[in-house]
Amino acid sequence: MHVVGTAGHVDHGKSTLVLALTGINPDRLQEEQDRQMTIDLGFAWMRLPGGEEIGIVDVPGHRDFIDNMLAGVGGIDAAILVIAADEGVMPQTVEHLLILDLLEVRHGVVALTKMDLVTDPEWSALVADDVRRLLRPTRMSGAPIMPVSAKTGLGLGDLVARLEEQLRETTPRPERHRPRLPVDRVFSIAGFGTIVTGTLVDGRFNVGEEVEILPGDRRARIRGLQTHKTKVGEAVPGSRVAANLTGVAVDDIARGQVVVRPGSMRATRYLDASLRMLGDAGAELRHNQEVRLYTGTAQVMARARLLDADSLGPGDEGWIQLVLTDPIVADRGDRYILRRPSPGATLGGGEIVEPQPLRIHRRRDPRVLASLHGRSAGSPGERLLLSLAAHGAQTLKEAAEAAGLTETERESAVTELDADMALIRLGTSDGVRREDPLFVDRDTWNNWIERATAALGEFHARLPLRAGMSREELRSRLRFEGRGFAEWIDRAAEDRSLLSERNSIRLAGHVAVLDANQRKAVDALLARFSQEPGTPPSIKECRDLVGDEVLAYLLEQGRLMQISPDVVFESGAYRRMVEEISSWLAEHGETSVAEVRDRLGTTRKYALALMEHLDERGITVREGDIRRLAPPGGTPG
């Protein structure tokens, strides 16, 4: 799923174009509609001809609202740069394009709007040439320029078609199973409570799971999820998401905070980053200068410590460490923008290479600069982790090959990751150890454990008398695809993260216990089995006496033994019957159902069910109307 952002000068028709394309007015505030000017972020969506539904973030074009614009474009996949054909390129056109370039937005289209107001073909051609010159030094160089009119509908179909082509060329968002939702809007709805919206990054959220809001360390639970006003059980990476949260009030959350899985991320007051100054920044950036940082939906004041220079001028590049006045949540690889607070101007931007530096760096330290360069380029360990995160359980050889690592780089990566305890070696599979074991990255491991814990917790709450969930049901609930499930379960059992008994999985703290009423019902039922061991109650009678869940508990605990859809014996009585039949056959060689009926003091119904059960177990074999012991080499159950 993709998200597209608008960009461009004020009053060039961004919101009008979005309305024409989607049928949704992104100007949701009354003040915006009264002034006919976008002030805050607006949101809409539409379905492309190929069937994909995309989200659209409409940003304000006025320079006074650049903060809101920056909060909207941080999570987009492509842009619609809107330029009015009757006015051409304007100051905010240039600044918005440069911001998109610093954020490395590589795909998009130019909408040359208000063509219905242009009567001179030479003028529109001059504007188009001017736009091409503007795009040439940026990552959107070569973006298609589409003449359109939201008023008449001219060119709208062609614009959508070219936008769809551009989106096909975008790189899929990585899914590292560590979801985060940078909040761009918070509000409440009567009867539902707190709603937050944003573009989901890095992973998936599910209805019912616990989340954490950072900075602030508040916990909440997802009551409901929507994408484009449609309820979903799971929100996917790259989608516009509205999450209904319980346990927090609207006043507890603000734009710039991030909704994450508990314990998966931490807020930070320091960032190591690469920086590229704009070619026409208009001023240099000095060491320790105060700046305003924008990343994701967050904005915060910071002090820029230049690590390899005393100042950076227009077009310069360098390494910086940002010391923030307030904590934010960021991750390695996130893009950011720096602006001068007053007078306001965009200085440059770059990539965050370390969101949790351990210390304030010494300036011009060769080791620090080399480390930053290596992290930016992607160390072997980081590349190996990305391969594991993308493909799930793999051997180290497979993961290294997928990451394009040489054998030497693979050894370096393993050393690096072992030191950070970032690799998890999975266990045996049913006691058989692989010659080349499977590994996962720690984030994936933690994600599996967290999801399994949530699924098992819900299962135990719903079915408290069940010892645990079957392996296959757990695999299905987790949507676990590919290799490594059995090995993961075995390793989790070794660590006692989960407990595996027979074919069921349970949480370490779960014990199935009958309550007083259930114990009384069980005692009454077992008394009947004791009184009539050869002709016990039927399955239906057992259900009527104790209920389905208690009956399942007795079967699971081994106190009763079901041998057919309708016949069940008390386990002790069952074992004595099997021993008696086996001893008789060993001595006499054969028996019949009628003889079994008489020896056990039962009826033909029970005797026949028991002998057919022993046939299935491989203890006996049937020859016409008689049974004999199965020959050696059978597999009694």
Side-chain angles (χ1 to χ4, degrees), residues 67 432 435 440 519 556:
D67 291 355
V432 179
E435 291 184 5
V440 294
R519 287 197 302 272
E556 197 170 59

Side-chain angles (χ1 to χ4, degrees), residues 373-616:
H373 179 76
R375 293 180 188 183
S376 177
S379 69
E382 290 170 334
R383 289 154 64 191
L384 186 66
L385 276 185
L386 288 174
S387 175
L388 287 169
H391 300 99
Q394 293 180 292
T395 67
L396 290 180
K397 180 180 179 182
E398 291 168 341
E401 288 176 350
L405 301 180
T406 65
E407 186 172 345
T408 301
E409 287 176 326
R410 184 178 78 179
E411 293 173 357
S412 171
V414 172
T415 301
E416 174 188 345
L417 298 176
D418 279 345
D420 292 337
M421 295 185 291
L423 281 181
I424 304 293
R425 175 175 175 157
L426 301 185
T428 62
S429 178
D430 298 326
V432 179
R433 186 169 292 279
R434 298 172 56 98
E435 291 184 5
D436 199 358
L438 298 174
F439 287 80
V440 294
D441 63 289
R442 180 165 291 281
D443 285 345
T444 296
W445 168 271
N446 289 339
N447 174 259
W448 288 350
I449 293 295
E450 289 166 3
R451 292 169 60 204
T453 299
L456 290 171
E458 184 274 333
F459 181 88
H460 292 327
R462 182 166 48 87
L463 302 170
L465 294 181
R466 299 287 179 90
M469 185 186 295
S470 72
R471 287 188 174 217
E472 283 310 307
E473 183 178 354
L474 180 60
R475 181 175 189 136
S476 176
R477 288 283 297 275
L478 298 182
R479 299 180 184 177
F480 195 112
E481 299 178 355
R483 297 178 300 165
F485 181 77
E487 291 88 346
W488 167 63
I489 289 293
D490 288 345
R491 173 60 191 270
E494 289 176 16
D495 293 352
R496 296 191 67 80
S497 302
L498 307 172
L499 295 185
S500 175
E501 296 173 351
R502 295 191 291 271
N503 191 42
S504 68
I505 313 297
R506 66 179 175 87
L507 296 178
H510 174 71
V511 178
V513 178
L514 297 171
D515 62 29
N517 291 333
Q518 291 168 334
R519 287 197 302 272
K520 185 177 179 180
V522 167
D523 289 343
L525 176 64
L526 294 181
R528 287 195 55 184
F529 276 92
S530 179
Q531 293 164 4
E532 307 167 351
T535 56
S538 67
I539 288 289
K540 181 180 182 306
E541 291 173 308
C542 291
R543 287 197 181 101
D544 291 342
L545 285 168
V546 298
D548 288 339
E549 285 308 308
V550 174
L551 177 58
Y553 166 82
L554 293 173
L555 292 168
E556 197 170 59
Q557 295 290 316
R559 299 177 69 176
L560 297 180
M561 180 70 184
Q562 185 173 358
I563 65 169
S564 78
D566 191 49
V567 175
V568 61
F569 289 109
E570 190 274 327
S571 295
Y574 166 79
R575 287 192 295 271
R576 290 191 295 273
M577 292 177 184
V578 173
E579 289 171 1
E580 185 169 347
I581 293 170
S582 298
S583 297
W584 174 267
L585 289 173
E587 182 177 353
H588 298 281
E590 63 182 45
T591 190
S592 66
V593 170
E595 193 170 37
V596 169
R597 176 198 64 197
D598 295 340
R599 288 191 61 79
L600 300 181
T602 183
T603 67
R604 177 175 174 79
K605 167 188 169 182
Y606 291 99
L608 179 61
L610 181 59
M611 295 313 298
E612 289 177 345
H613 169 72
L614 296 183
D615 293 342
E616 292 174 1

Side-chain angles (χ1 to χ4, degrees), residues 85-86 113-125 154:
D86 61 332
T113 57
K114 302 188 180 183
M115 287 298 295
D116 53 292
L117 300 180
V118 177
T119 57
D120 185 354
E122 292 187 6
W123 171 256
S124 59
L154 170 72

Side-chain angles (χ1 to χ4, degrees), residues 272-419:
D272 294 344
S274 62
L275 173 65
R276 175 167 64 91
M277 295 286 289
L278 286 179
D280 59 351
E284 65 180 11
L285 176 67
R286 301 179 306 279
H287 173 62
N288 266 341
Q289 181 176 330
E290 187 178 59
V291 293
R292 190 179 295 276
L293 165 75
Y294 299 82
T295 184
T297 60
Q299 57 168 300
V300 63
M301 296 300 296
R303 188 162 43 86
R305 301 186 68 252
L306 303 187
L307 298 179
D308 54 357
D310 292 324
S311 64
L312 294 174
D316 288 346
E317 297 183 10
W319 295 106
I320 65 171
Q321 186 171 54
L322 292 161
V323 181
L324 314 180
T325 58
D326 296 294
I328 66 167
V329 174
D331 201 5
R332 183 176 291 115
D334 288 355
R335 305 297 300 183
Y336 73 93
I337 298 292
L338 290 186
R339 282 177 57 82
R340 186 177 59 198
S342 180
T346 302
L347 297 172
E351 178 184 18
I352 296 170
V353 298
E354 178 50 66
Q356 299 284 345
L358 298 177
R359 61 185 63 86
I360 295 290
H361 298 310
R362 189 173 66 182
R363 300 179 63 219
R364 293 189 171 86
D365 186 331
R367 290 173 299 179
V368 170
L369 298 175
S371 173
L372 293 174
H373 179 76
R375 293 180 188 183
S376 177
S379 69
E382 290 170 334
R383 289 154 64 191
L384 186 66
L385 276 185
L386 288 174
S387 175
L388 287 169
H391 300 99
Q394 293 180 292
T395 67
L396 290 180
K397 180 180 179 182
E398 291 168 341
E401 288 176 350
L405 301 180
T406 65
E407 186 172 345
T408 301
E409 287 176 326
R410 184 178 78 179
E411 293 173 357
S412 171
V414 172
T415 301
E416 174 188 345
L417 298 176
D418 279 345

Side-chain angles (χ1 to χ4, degrees), residues 201-270:
V201 182
D202 280 358
R204 299 166 184 256
F205 275 137
N206 292 275
V207 171
E209 74 173 291
E210 187 181 19
V211 293
E212 186 175 19
I213 296 97
L214 298 175
D217 302 321
R218 291 186 178 275
R219 295 291 181 102
R221 191 168 296 278
I222 298 176
R223 180 182 180 184
L225 293 168
Q226 287 191 4
T227 293
H228 305 158
K229 290 195 175 181
T230 299
K231 288 183 179 180
V232 294
E234 180 180 65
V236 300
S239 62
R240 286 291 307 173
V241 174
N244 182 195
L245 302 181
T246 62
V248 289
V250 169
D251 293 341
D252 295 333
I253 311 176
R255 176 180 289 177
Q257 288 181 290
V258 181
V259 180
V260 301
R261 192 164 281 144
S264 64
M265 299 191 76
R266 291 180 295 147
T268 182
R269 286 182 179 269
Y270 302 95

